[in-house]
Amino acid sequence: QVKLVGSGGGSVQAGGSLKLSCENVGTIQTSYCTAWFRQAPGKEREGVASINAHTNGIVNREYAQSAKGRFTVSQDKAKNALYLELRNLQPDDTAMYYCAVQLPTCAWWSLTPGDYTYWSQGIQVTVFA
């Protein structure tokens, strides 16, 4: 069972930072093929960043162009948790954010919502000018 619980959203001024968290409170470990997505009002859901921790210790990350240099995805396997640090936030970053897991297949580089199986509830991030 996978149950994702997100937290950490809020309202910040442009240029500010936030850290989003996503904990899997289910019984299946999900350090593989996890990702963050966001959906702004009136827009389609889009991928932000993905992360995959291989059993050999190698960690792969993939970022959307809009996230490169500003957002950092990380995970804590011991806590079965996923994080997204958001820096230099801009009004265009205002959206509902979601974490997601691919199971049983794994295309770790994917930022396509349809490839992901389990989703958290939305986490609201609002950035004002």
PDB file of all heavy atoms in Angstrom, residues 86-127:
ATOM      1  N   LEU A  86      12.142  24.888  -2.799  1.00  0.00           N
ATOM      2  CA  LEU A  86      11.798  25.895  -3.797  1.00  0.00           C
ATOM      3  C   LEU A  86      12.483  27.200  -3.409  1.00  0.00           C
ATOM      4  O   LEU A  86      12.256  27.724  -2.302  1.00  0.00           O
ATOM      5  CB  LEU A  86      10.282  26.108  -3.847  1.00  0.00           C
ATOM      6  CG  LEU A  86       9.415  24.848  -3.924  1.00  0.00           C
ATOM      7  CD1 LEU A  86       7.943  25.217  -3.712  1.00  0.00           C
ATOM      8  CD2 LEU A  86       9.592  24.165  -5.266  1.00  0.00           C
ATOM      9  N   ARG A  87      13.309  27.717  -4.292  1.00  0.00           N
ATOM     10  CA  ARG A  87      14.018  28.967  -4.013  1.00  0.00           C
ATOM     11  C   ARG A  87      13.715  29.978  -5.104  1.00  0.00           C
ATOM     12  O   ARG A  87      13.338  29.626  -6.219  1.00  0.00           O
ATOM     13  CB  ARG A  87      15.523  28.711  -3.930  1.00  0.00           C
ATOM     14  CG  ARG A  87      15.941  27.788  -2.800  1.00  0.00           C
ATOM     15  CD  ARG A  87      17.463  27.646  -2.755  1.00  0.00           C
ATOM     16  NE  ARG A  87      17.976  27.088  -3.993  1.00  0.00           N
ATOM     17  CZ  ARG A  87      18.034  25.793  -4.262  1.00  0.00           C
ATOM     18  NH1 ARG A  87      17.586  24.920  -3.388  1.00  0.00           N
ATOM     19  NH2 ARG A  87      18.538  25.366  -5.392  1.00  0.00           N
ATOM     20  N   ASN A  88      13.941  31.251  -4.767  1.00  0.00           N
ATOM     21  CA  ASN A  88      13.683  32.343  -5.717  1.00  0.00           C
ATOM     22  C   ASN A  88      12.314  32.163  -6.384  1.00  0.00           C
ATOM     23  O   ASN A  88      12.185  32.231  -7.606  1.00  0.00           O
ATOM     24  CB  ASN A  88      14.788  32.397  -6.773  1.00  0.00           C
ATOM     25  CG  ASN A  88      14.716  33.653  -7.617  1.00  0.00           C
ATOM     26  OD1 ASN A  88      14.132  34.667  -7.207  1.00  0.00           O
ATOM     27  ND2 ASN A  88      15.292  33.600  -8.807  1.00  0.00           N
ATOM     28  N   LEU A  89      11.313  31.957  -5.573  1.00  0.00           N
ATOM     29  CA  LEU A  89       9.969  31.723  -6.101  1.00  0.00           C
ATOM     30  C   LEU A  89       9.425  32.961  -6.797  1.00  0.00           C
ATOM     31  O   LEU A  89       9.696  34.098  -6.377  1.00  0.00           O
ATOM     32  CB  LEU A  89       9.034  31.293  -4.980  1.00  0.00           C
ATOM     33  CG  LEU A  89       9.207  29.838  -4.527  1.00  0.00           C
ATOM     34  CD1 LEU A  89       8.605  29.628  -3.147  1.00  0.00           C
ATOM     35  CD2 LEU A  89       8.584  28.894  -5.535  1.00  0.00           C
ATOM     36  N   GLN A  90       8.688  32.732  -7.857  1.00  0.00           N
ATOM     37  CA  GLN A  90       8.078  33.796  -8.650  1.00  0.00           C
ATOM     38  C   GLN A  90       6.566  33.574  -8.736  1.00  0.00           C
ATOM     39  O   GLN A  90       6.097  32.452  -8.549  1.00  0.00           O
ATOM     40  CB  GLN A  90       8.700  33.822 -10.036  1.00  0.00           C
ATOM     41  CG  GLN A  90      10.198  34.049 -10.038  1.00  0.00           C
ATOM     42  CD  GLN A  90      10.587  35.371  -9.370  1.00  0.00           C
ATOM     43  OE1 GLN A  90       9.971  36.417  -9.626  1.00  0.00           O
ATOM     44  NE2 GLN A  90      11.595  35.328  -8.512  1.00  0.00           N
ATOM     45  N   PRO A  91       5.796  34.620  -9.036  1.00  0.00           N
ATOM     46  CA  PRO A  91       4.341  34.446  -9.135  1.00  0.00           C
ATOM     47  C   PRO A  91       3.921  33.312 -10.075  1.00  0.00           C
ATOM     48  O   PRO A  91       2.908  32.650  -9.824  1.00  0.00           O
ATOM     49  CB  PRO A  91       3.870  35.808  -9.643  1.00  0.00           C
ATOM     50  CG  PRO A  91       4.860  36.761  -9.050  1.00  0.00           C
ATOM     51  CD  PRO A  91       6.181  36.044  -9.123  1.00  0.00           C
ATOM     52  N   ASP A  92       4.686  33.049 -11.121  1.00  0.00           N
ATOM     53  CA  ASP A  92       4.365  31.962 -12.050  1.00  0.00           C
ATOM     54  C   ASP A  92       4.487  30.584 -11.401  1.00  0.00           C
ATOM     55  O   ASP A  92       4.013  29.592 -11.964  1.00  0.00           O
ATOM     56  CB  ASP A  92       5.272  32.005 -13.286  1.00  0.00           C
ATOM     57  CG  ASP A  92       4.869  33.093 -14.259  1.00  0.00           C
ATOM     58  OD1 ASP A  92       3.775  33.674 -14.076  1.00  0.00           O
ATOM     59  OD2 ASP A  92       5.638  33.370 -15.202  1.00  0.00           O
ATOM     60  N   ASP A  93       5.124  30.520 -10.230  1.00  0.00           N
ATOM     61  CA  ASP A  93       5.248  29.242  -9.523  1.00  0.00           C
ATOM     62  C   ASP A  93       4.016  28.934  -8.692  1.00  0.00           C
ATOM     63  O   ASP A  93       3.920  27.848  -8.099  1.00  0.00           O
ATOM     64  CB  ASP A  93       6.485  29.258  -8.608  1.00  0.00           C
ATOM     65  CG  ASP A  93       7.776  29.378  -9.387  1.00  0.00           C
ATOM     66  OD1 ASP A  93       7.930  28.661 -10.400  1.00  0.00           O
ATOM     67  OD2 ASP A  93       8.638  30.191  -8.981  1.00  0.00           O
ATOM     68  N   THR A  94       3.097  29.871  -8.614  1.00  0.00           N
ATOM     69  CA  THR A  94       1.859  29.650  -7.875  1.00  0.00           C
ATOM     70  C   THR A  94       1.084  28.491  -8.480  1.00  0.00           C
ATOM     71  O   THR A  94       0.779  28.495  -9.677  1.00  0.00           O
ATOM     72  CB  THR A  94       0.990  30.916  -7.888  1.00  0.00           C
ATOM     73  OG1 THR A  94       1.666  31.947  -7.163  1.00  0.00           O
ATOM     74  CG2 THR A  94      -0.372  30.656  -7.249  1.00  0.00           C
ATOM     75  N   ALA A  95       0.809  27.481  -7.666  1.00  0.00           N
ATOM     76  CA  ALA A  95       0.147  26.280  -8.154  1.00  0.00           C
ATOM     77  C   ALA A  95      -0.129  25.342  -6.984  1.00  0.00           C
ATOM     78  O   ALA A  95       0.358  25.559  -5.870  1.00  0.00           O
ATOM     79  CB  ALA A  95       1.022  25.550  -9.181  1.00  0.00           C
ATOM     80  N   MET A  96      -0.887  24.303  -7.285  1.00  0.00           N
ATOM     81  CA  MET A  96      -1.034  23.194  -6.355  1.00  0.00           C
ATOM     82  C   MET A  96       0.069  22.205  -6.711  1.00  0.00           C
ATOM     83  O   MET A  96       0.203  21.825  -7.880  1.00  0.00           O
ATOM     84  CB  MET A  96      -2.409  22.552  -6.507  1.00  0.00           C
ATOM     85  CG  MET A  96      -2.803  21.662  -5.346  1.00  0.00           C
ATOM     86  SD  MET A  96      -3.262  22.619  -3.887  1.00  0.00           S
ATOM     87  CE  MET A  96      -4.934  23.082  -4.331  1.00  0.00           C
ATOM     88  N   TYR A  97       0.848  21.793  -5.711  1.00  0.00           N
ATOM     89  CA  TYR A  97       1.945  20.868  -5.936  1.00  0.00           C
ATOM     90  C   TYR A  97       1.560  19.483  -5.416  1.00  0.00           C
ATOM     91  O   TYR A  97       0.875  19.357  -4.387  1.00  0.00           O
ATOM     92  CB  TYR A  97       3.206  21.365  -5.229  1.00  0.00           C
ATOM     93  CG  TYR A  97       3.857  22.529  -5.943  1.00  0.00           C
ATOM     94  CD1 TYR A  97       3.262  23.789  -5.967  1.00  0.00           C
ATOM     95  CD2 TYR A  97       5.070  22.364  -6.614  1.00  0.00           C
ATOM     96  CE1 TYR A  97       3.843  24.853  -6.652  1.00  0.00           C
ATOM     97  CE2 TYR A  97       5.666  23.432  -7.290  1.00  0.00           C
ATOM     98  CZ  TYR A  97       5.044  24.665  -7.305  1.00  0.00           C
ATOM     99  OH  TYR A  97       5.629  25.715  -7.977  1.00  0.00           O
ATOM    100  N   TYR A  98       2.052  18.461  -6.105  1.00  0.00           N
ATOM    101  CA  TYR A  98       1.756  17.073  -5.755  1.00  0.00           C
ATOM    102  C   TYR A  98       3.035  16.248  -5.820  1.00  0.00           C
ATOM    103  O   TYR A  98       3.872  16.471  -6.688  1.00  0.00           O
ATOM    104  CB  TYR A  98       0.769  16.456  -6.751  1.00  0.00           C
ATOM    105  CG  TYR A  98      -0.534  17.175  -6.899  1.00  0.00           C
ATOM    106  CD1 TYR A  98      -0.664  18.260  -7.767  1.00  0.00           C
ATOM    107  CD2 TYR A  98      -1.660  16.774  -6.183  1.00  0.00           C
ATOM    108  CE1 TYR A  98      -1.872  18.921  -7.929  1.00  0.00           C
ATOM    109  CE2 TYR A  98      -2.874  17.424  -6.334  1.00  0.00           C
ATOM    110  CZ  TYR A  98      -2.971  18.503  -7.209  1.00  0.00           C
ATOM    111  OH  TYR A  98      -4.179  19.152  -7.358  1.00  0.00           O
ATOM    112  N   CYS A  99       3.165  15.276  -4.929  1.00  0.00           N
ATOM    113  CA  CYS A  99       4.207  14.271  -5.103  1.00  0.00           C
ATOM    114  C   CYS A  99       3.538  13.012  -5.644  1.00  0.00           C
ATOM    115  O   CYS A  99       2.331  12.808  -5.463  1.00  0.00           O
ATOM    116  CB  CYS A  99       4.953  13.987  -3.812  1.00  0.00           C
ATOM    117  SG  CYS A  99       3.966  13.246  -2.516  1.00  0.00           S
ATOM    118  N   ALA A 100       4.323  12.180  -6.311  1.00  0.00           N
ATOM    119  CA  ALA A 100       3.774  11.003  -6.954  1.00  0.00           C
ATOM    120  C   ALA A 100       4.824   9.901  -7.043  1.00  0.00           C
ATOM    121  O   ALA A 100       6.028  10.167  -6.995  1.00  0.00           O
ATOM    122  CB  ALA A 100       3.273  11.346  -8.354  1.00  0.00           C
ATOM    123  N   VAL A 101       4.335   8.692  -7.199  1.00  0.00           N
ATOM    124  CA  VAL A 101       5.193   7.502  -7.260  1.00  0.00           C
ATOM    125  C   VAL A 101       4.787   6.646  -8.451  1.00  0.00           C
ATOM    126  O   VAL A 101       3.588   6.485  -8.717  1.00  0.00           O
ATOM    127  CB  VAL A 101       5.068   6.679  -5.963  1.00  0.00           C
ATOM    128  CG1 VAL A 101       5.757   5.328  -6.110  1.00  0.00           C
ATOM    129  CG2 VAL A 101       5.636   7.429  -4.784  1.00  0.00           C
ATOM    130  N   GLN A 102       5.790   6.106  -9.136  1.00  0.00           N
ATOM    131  CA  GLN A 102       5.524   5.123 -10.192  1.00  0.00           C
ATOM    132  C   GLN A 102       5.650   3.723  -9.604  1.00  0.00           C
ATOM    133  O   GLN A 102       6.667   3.405  -9.025  1.00  0.00           O
ATOM    134  CB  GLN A 102       6.564   5.219 -11.313  1.00  0.00           C
ATOM    135  CG  GLN A 102       6.465   6.403 -12.205  1.00  0.00           C
ATOM    136  CD  GLN A 102       7.436   6.267 -13.371  1.00  0.00           C
ATOM    137  OE1 GLN A 102       7.431   5.255 -14.082  1.00  0.00           O
ATOM    138  NE2 GLN A 102       8.259   7.283 -13.557  1.00  0.00           N
ATOM    139  N   LEU A 103       4.654   2.922  -9.741  1.00  0.00           N
ATOM    140  CA  LEU A 103       4.700   1.510  -9.369  1.00  0.00           C
ATOM    141  C   LEU A 103       3.710   0.746 -10.245  1.00  0.00           C
ATOM    142  O   LEU A 103       2.615   1.253 -10.480  1.00  0.00           O
ATOM    143  CB  LEU A 103       4.321   1.307  -7.895  1.00  0.00           C
ATOM    144  CG  LEU A 103       5.401   1.502  -6.843  1.00  0.00           C
ATOM    145  CD1 LEU A 103       4.827   1.378  -5.444  1.00  0.00           C
ATOM    146  CD2 LEU A 103       6.543   0.510  -7.041  1.00  0.00           C
ATOM    147  N   PRO A 104       4.013  -0.462 -10.680  1.00  0.00           N
ATOM    148  CA  PRO A 104       5.267  -1.186 -10.461  1.00  0.00           C
ATOM    149  C   PRO A 104       6.365  -0.845 -11.465  1.00  0.00           C
ATOM    150  O   PRO A 104       7.520  -1.181 -11.234  1.00  0.00           O
ATOM    151  CB  PRO A 104       4.834  -2.642 -10.632  1.00  0.00           C
ATOM    152  CG  PRO A 104       3.748  -2.568 -11.649  1.00  0.00           C
ATOM    153  CD  PRO A 104       3.024  -1.272 -11.378  1.00  0.00           C
ATOM    154  N   THR A 105       6.027  -0.208 -12.587  1.00  0.00           N
ATOM    155  CA  THR A 105       7.066   0.113 -13.569  1.00  0.00           C
ATOM    156  C   THR A 105       7.820   1.359 -13.129  1.00  0.00           C
ATOM    157  O   THR A 105       7.377   2.098 -12.252  1.00  0.00           O
ATOM    158  CB  THR A 105       6.458   0.350 -14.954  1.00  0.00           C
ATOM    159  OG1 THR A 105       5.506   1.420 -14.849  1.00  0.00           O
ATOM    160  CG2 THR A 105       5.764  -0.903 -15.452  1.00  0.00           C
ATOM    161  N   CYS A 106       8.983   1.599 -13.738  1.00  0.00           N
ATOM    162  CA  CYS A 106       9.796   2.734 -13.333  1.00  0.00           C
ATOM    163  C   CYS A 106      10.539   3.324 -14.517  1.00  0.00           C
ATOM    164  O   CYS A 106      11.461   2.709 -15.040  1.00  0.00           O
ATOM    165  CB  CYS A 106      10.781   2.305 -12.251  1.00  0.00           C
ATOM    166  SG  CYS A 106      11.862   3.646 -11.703  1.00  0.00           S
ATOM    167  N   ALA A 107      10.116   4.480 -14.938  1.00  0.00           N
ATOM    168  CA  ALA A 107      10.867   5.292 -15.895  1.00  0.00           C
ATOM    169  C   ALA A 107      11.263   6.544 -15.122  1.00  0.00           C
ATOM    170  O   ALA A 107      10.538   7.551 -15.146  1.00  0.00           O
ATOM    171  CB  ALA A 107      10.008   5.628 -17.103  1.00  0.00           C
ATOM    172  N   TRP A 108      12.388   6.504 -14.454  1.00  0.00           N
ATOM    173  CA  TRP A 108      12.726   7.516 -13.439  1.00  0.00           C
ATOM    174  C   TRP A 108      12.843   8.917 -14.014  1.00  0.00           C
ATOM    175  O   TRP A 108      12.660   9.903 -13.315  1.00  0.00           O
ATOM    176  CB  TRP A 108      14.003   7.147 -12.701  1.00  0.00           C
ATOM    177  CG  TRP A 108      15.226   7.110 -13.573  1.00  0.00           C
ATOM    178  CD1 TRP A 108      15.808   6.031 -14.147  1.00  0.00           C
ATOM    179  CD2 TRP A 108      16.022   8.233 -13.984  1.00  0.00           C
ATOM    180  NE1 TRP A 108      16.892   6.394 -14.880  1.00  0.00           N
ATOM    181  CE2 TRP A 108      17.056   7.740 -14.803  1.00  0.00           C
ATOM    182  CE3 TRP A 108      15.960   9.602 -13.726  1.00  0.00           C
ATOM    183  CZ2 TRP A 108      18.021   8.576 -15.366  1.00  0.00           C
ATOM    184  CZ3 TRP A 108      16.918  10.438 -14.289  1.00  0.00           C
ATOM    185  CH2 TRP A 108      17.929   9.921 -15.102  1.00  0.00           C
ATOM    186  N   TRP A 109      13.177   9.009 -15.304  1.00  0.00           N
ATOM    187  CA  TRP A 109      13.378  10.299 -15.929  1.00  0.00           C
ATOM    188  C   TRP A 109      12.061  10.988 -16.302  1.00  0.00           C
ATOM    189  O   TRP A 109      12.043  12.118 -16.731  1.00  0.00           O
ATOM    190  CB  TRP A 109      14.213  10.118 -17.192  1.00  0.00           C
ATOM    191  CG  TRP A 109      13.579   9.137 -18.122  1.00  0.00           C
ATOM    192  CD1 TRP A 109      12.647   9.390 -19.101  1.00  0.00           C
ATOM    193  CD2 TRP A 109      13.774   7.728 -18.124  1.00  0.00           C
ATOM    194  NE1 TRP A 109      12.267   8.226 -19.705  1.00  0.00           N
ATOM    195  CE2 TRP A 109      12.948   7.182 -19.143  1.00  0.00           C
ATOM    196  CE3 TRP A 109      14.568   6.862 -17.380  1.00  0.00           C
ATOM    197  CZ2 TRP A 109      12.902   5.826 -19.413  1.00  0.00           C
ATOM    198  CZ3 TRP A 109      14.527   5.502 -17.648  1.00  0.00           C
ATOM    199  CH2 TRP A 109      13.706   5.004 -18.652  1.00  0.00           C
ATOM    200  N   SER A 110      10.964  10.245 -16.152  1.00  0.00           N
ATOM    201  CA  SER A 110       9.687  10.745 -16.643  1.00  0.00           C
ATOM    202  C   SER A 110       9.131  11.863 -15.779  1.00  0.00           C
ATOM    203  O   SER A 110       9.111  11.773 -14.552  1.00  0.00           O
ATOM    204  CB  SER A 110       8.670   9.599 -16.709  1.00  0.00           C
ATOM    205  OG  SER A 110       7.386  10.107 -17.039  1.00  0.00           O
ATOM    206  N   LEU A 111       8.677  12.904 -16.438  1.00  0.00           N
ATOM    207  CA  LEU A 111       7.928  13.978 -15.802  1.00  0.00           C
ATOM    208  C   LEU A 111       6.525  14.060 -16.408  1.00  0.00           C
ATOM    209  O   LEU A 111       5.913  15.123 -16.438  1.00  0.00           O
ATOM    210  CB  LEU A 111       8.674  15.312 -15.959  1.00  0.00           C
ATOM    211  CG  LEU A 111      10.010  15.412 -15.205  1.00  0.00           C
ATOM    212  CD1 LEU A 111      10.695  16.740 -15.497  1.00  0.00           C
ATOM    213  CD2 LEU A 111       9.781  15.250 -13.709  1.00  0.00           C
ATOM    214  N   THR A 112       6.056  12.920 -16.879  1.00  0.00           N
ATOM    215  CA  THR A 112       4.730  12.821 -17.479  1.00  0.00           C
ATOM    216  C   THR A 112       3.739  12.312 -16.442  1.00  0.00           C
ATOM    217  O   THR A 112       3.905  11.205 -15.922  1.00  0.00           O
ATOM    218  CB  THR A 112       4.751  11.856 -18.679  1.00  0.00           C
ATOM    219  OG1 THR A 112       5.698  12.326 -19.637  1.00  0.00           O
ATOM    220  CG2 THR A 112       3.374  11.754 -19.312  1.00  0.00           C
ATOM    221  N   PRO A 113       2.733  13.077 -16.120  1.00  0.00           N
ATOM    222  CA  PRO A 113       1.791  12.666 -15.065  1.00  0.00           C
ATOM    223  C   PRO A 113       1.191  11.281 -15.272  1.00  0.00           C
ATOM    224  O   PRO A 113       1.016  10.528 -14.313  1.00  0.00           O
ATOM    225  CB  PRO A 113       0.709  13.752 -15.121  1.00  0.00           C
ATOM    226  CG  PRO A 113       1.413  14.959 -15.649  1.00  0.00           C
ATOM    227  CD  PRO A 113       2.400  14.429 -16.636  1.00  0.00           C
ATOM    228  N   GLY A 114       0.904  10.923 -16.511  1.00  0.00           N
ATOM    229  CA  GLY A 114       0.275   9.641 -16.789  1.00  0.00           C
ATOM    230  C   GLY A 114       1.123   8.431 -16.448  1.00  0.00           C
ATOM    231  O   GLY A 114       0.605   7.315 -16.351  1.00  0.00           O
ATOM    232  N   ASP A 115       2.423   8.640 -16.244  1.00  0.00           N
ATOM    233  CA  ASP A 115       3.312   7.521 -15.898  1.00  0.00           C
ATOM    234  C   ASP A 115       3.291   7.208 -14.410  1.00  0.00           C
ATOM    235  O   ASP A 115       3.866   6.210 -13.987  1.00  0.00           O
ATOM    236  CB  ASP A 115       4.749   7.843 -16.313  1.00  0.00           C
ATOM    237  CG  ASP A 115       4.930   7.813 -17.818  1.00  0.00           C
ATOM    238  OD1 ASP A 115       4.101   7.184 -18.511  1.00  0.00           O
ATOM    239  OD2 ASP A 115       5.895   8.436 -18.309  1.00  0.00           O
ATOM    240  N   TYR A 116       2.643   8.051 -13.617  1.00  0.00           N
ATOM    241  CA  TYR A 116       2.671   7.905 -12.170  1.00  0.00           C
ATOM    242  C   TYR A 116       1.366   7.341 -11.640  1.00  0.00           C
ATOM    243  O   TYR A 116       0.288   7.649 -12.143  1.00  0.00           O
ATOM    244  CB  TYR A 116       3.021   9.249 -11.517  1.00  0.00           C
ATOM    245  CG  TYR A 116       4.477   9.567 -11.717  1.00  0.00           C
ATOM    246  CD1 TYR A 116       4.939  10.064 -12.934  1.00  0.00           C
ATOM    247  CD2 TYR A 116       5.413   9.319 -10.722  1.00  0.00           C
ATOM    248  CE1 TYR A 116       6.287  10.308 -13.144  1.00  0.00           C
ATOM    249  CE2 TYR A 116       6.763   9.576 -10.919  1.00  0.00           C
ATOM    250  CZ  TYR A 116       7.186  10.063 -12.131  1.00  0.00           C
ATOM    251  OH  TYR A 116       8.522  10.291 -12.345  1.00  0.00           O
ATOM    252  N   THR A 117       1.512   6.505 -10.614  1.00  0.00           N
ATOM    253  CA  THR A 117       0.404   5.682 -10.137  1.00  0.00           C
ATOM    254  C   THR A 117      -0.257   6.238  -8.883  1.00  0.00           C
ATOM    255  O   THR A 117      -1.486   6.233  -8.765  1.00  0.00           O
ATOM    256  CB  THR A 117       0.908   4.262  -9.824  1.00  0.00           C
ATOM    257  OG1 THR A 117       1.757   3.799 -10.864  1.00  0.00           O
ATOM    258  CG2 THR A 117      -0.255   3.301  -9.621  1.00  0.00           C
ATOM    259  N   TYR A 118       0.557   6.651  -7.939  1.00  0.00           N
ATOM    260  CA  TYR A 118       0.042   7.101  -6.650  1.00  0.00           C
ATOM    261  C   TYR A 118       0.347   8.584  -6.474  1.00  0.00           C
ATOM    262  O   TYR A 118       1.431   9.054  -6.822  1.00  0.00           O
ATOM    263  CB  TYR A 118       0.683   6.305  -5.507  1.00  0.00           C
ATOM    264  CG  TYR A 118       0.391   4.836  -5.561  1.00  0.00           C
ATOM    265  CD1 TYR A 118       1.274   3.958  -6.178  1.00  0.00           C
ATOM    266  CD2 TYR A 118      -0.770   4.315  -5.016  1.00  0.00           C
ATOM    267  CE1 TYR A 118       1.011   2.603  -6.250  1.00  0.00           C
ATOM    268  CE2 TYR A 118      -1.045   2.955  -5.073  1.00  0.00           C
ATOM    269  CZ  TYR A 118      -0.151   2.116  -5.697  1.00  0.00           C
ATOM    270  OH  TYR A 118      -0.423   0.776  -5.757  1.00  0.00           O
ATOM    271  N   TRP A 119      -0.606   9.291  -5.876  1.00  0.00           N
ATOM    272  CA  TRP A 119      -0.503  10.747  -5.750  1.00  0.00           C
ATOM    273  C   TRP A 119      -0.836  11.202  -4.337  1.00  0.00           C
ATOM    274  O   TRP A 119      -1.685  10.606  -3.657  1.00  0.00           O
ATOM    275  CB  TRP A 119      -1.478  11.414  -6.717  1.00  0.00           C
ATOM    276  CG  TRP A 119      -1.113  11.193  -8.152  1.00  0.00           C
ATOM    277  CD1 TRP A 119      -1.396  10.099  -8.915  1.00  0.00           C
ATOM    278  CD2 TRP A 119      -0.370  12.083  -8.983  1.00  0.00           C
ATOM    279  NE1 TRP A 119      -0.871  10.247 -10.185  1.00  0.00           N
ATOM    280  CE2 TRP A 119      -0.240  11.464 -10.250  1.00  0.00           C
ATOM    281  CE3 TRP A 119       0.196  13.344  -8.795  1.00  0.00           C
ATOM    282  CZ2 TRP A 119       0.435  12.073 -11.311  1.00  0.00           C
ATOM    283  CZ3 TRP A 119       0.852  13.936  -9.853  1.00  0.00           C
ATOM    284  CH2 TRP A 119       0.968  13.300 -11.091  1.00  0.00           C
ATOM    285  N   SER A 120      -0.178  12.275  -3.945  1.00  0.00           N
ATOM    286  CA  SER A 120      -0.537  12.907  -2.679  1.00  0.00           C
ATOM    287  C   SER A 120      -1.712  13.847  -2.888  1.00  0.00           C
ATOM    288  O   SER A 120      -2.134  14.119  -4.026  1.00  0.00           O
ATOM    289  CB  SER A 120       0.646  13.709  -2.143  1.00  0.00           C
ATOM    290  OG  SER A 120       0.867  14.864  -2.951  1.00  0.00           O
ATOM    291  N   GLN A 121      -2.208  14.373  -1.801  1.00  0.00           N
ATOM    292  CA  GLN A 121      -3.160  15.459  -1.931  1.00  0.00           C
ATOM    293  C   GLN A 121      -2.397  16.707  -2.390  1.00  0.00           C
ATOM    294  O   GLN A 121      -1.166  16.757  -2.313  1.00  0.00           O
ATOM    295  CB  GLN A 121      -3.875  15.718  -0.580  1.00  0.00           C
ATOM    296  CG  GLN A 121      -3.198  16.670   0.358  1.00  0.00           C
ATOM    297  CD  GLN A 121      -1.951  16.160   1.045  1.00  0.00           C
ATOM    298  OE1 GLN A 121      -1.491  15.049   0.777  1.00  0.00           O
ATOM    299  NE2 GLN A 121      -1.424  16.972   1.948  1.00  0.00           N
ATOM    300  N   GLY A 122      -3.062  17.712  -2.857  1.00  0.00           N
ATOM    301  CA  GLY A 122      -2.380  18.914  -3.319  1.00  0.00           C
ATOM    302  C   GLY A 122      -1.839  19.757  -2.175  1.00  0.00           C
ATOM    303  O   GLY A 122      -2.403  19.800  -1.091  1.00  0.00           O
ATOM    304  N   ILE A 123      -0.715  20.417  -2.446  1.00  0.00           N
ATOM    305  CA  ILE A 123      -0.092  21.342  -1.496  1.00  0.00           C
ATOM    306  C   ILE A 123      -0.090  22.709  -2.162  1.00  0.00           C
ATOM    307  O   ILE A 123       0.574  22.909  -3.183  1.00  0.00           O
ATOM    308  CB  ILE A 123       1.360  20.926  -1.176  1.00  0.00           C
ATOM    309  CG1 ILE A 123       1.411  19.471  -0.734  1.00  0.00           C
ATOM    310  CG2 ILE A 123       1.945  21.841  -0.114  1.00  0.00           C
ATOM    311  CD1 ILE A 123       2.829  18.902  -0.744  1.00  0.00           C
ATOM    312  N   GLN A 124      -0.788  23.664  -1.592  1.00  0.00           N
ATOM    313  CA  GLN A 124      -0.891  24.978  -2.220  1.00  0.00           C
ATOM    314  C   GLN A 124       0.351  25.818  -1.977  1.00  0.00           C
ATOM    315  O   GLN A 124       0.791  25.977  -0.833  1.00  0.00           O
ATOM    316  CB  GLN A 124      -2.117  25.726  -1.703  1.00  0.00           C
ATOM    317  CG  GLN A 124      -2.322  27.081  -2.328  1.00  0.00           C
ATOM    318  CD  GLN A 124      -2.628  27.012  -3.813  1.00  0.00           C
ATOM    319  OE1 GLN A 124      -3.457  26.215  -4.245  1.00  0.00           O
ATOM    320  NE2 GLN A 124      -1.955  27.842  -4.606  1.00  0.00           N
ATOM    321  N   VAL A 125       0.896  26.338  -3.060  1.00  0.00           N
ATOM    322  CA  VAL A 125       1.997  27.301  -3.003  1.00  0.00           C
ATOM    323  C   VAL A 125       1.523  28.566  -3.710  1.00  0.00           C
ATOM    324  O   VAL A 125       1.125  28.519  -4.876  1.00  0.00           O
ATOM    325  CB  VAL A 125       3.263  26.750  -3.691  1.00  0.00           C
ATOM    326  CG1 VAL A 125       4.326  27.845  -3.802  1.00  0.00           C
ATOM    327  CG2 VAL A 125       3.816  25.556  -2.915  1.00  0.00           C
ATOM    328  N   THR A 126       1.569  29.682  -2.999  1.00  0.00           N
ATOM    329  CA  THR A 126       1.148  30.970  -3.556  1.00  0.00           C
ATOM    330  C   THR A 126       2.288  31.953  -3.424  1.00  0.00           C
ATOM    331  O   THR A 126       2.845  32.126  -2.343  1.00  0.00           O
ATOM    332  CB  THR A 126      -0.082  31.509  -2.827  1.00  0.00           C
ATOM    333  OG1 THR A 126      -1.142  30.545  -2.905  1.00  0.00           O
ATOM    334  CG2 THR A 126      -0.550  32.815  -3.460  1.00  0.00           C
ATOM    335  N   VAL A 127       2.660  32.560  -4.545  1.00  0.00           N
ATOM    336  CA  VAL A 127       3.747  33.536  -4.565  1.00  0.00           C
ATOM    337  C   VAL A 127       3.177  34.868  -5.028  1.00  0.00           C
ATOM    338  O   VAL A 127       2.606  34.964  -6.118  1.00  0.00           O
ATOM    339  CB  VAL A 127       4.882  33.089  -5.506  1.00  0.00           C
ATOM    340  CG1 VAL A 127       6.060  34.059  -5.409  1.00  0.00           C
ATOM    341  CG2 VAL A 127       5.322  31.670  -5.188  1.00  0.00           C
TER     342      VAL A 127
END
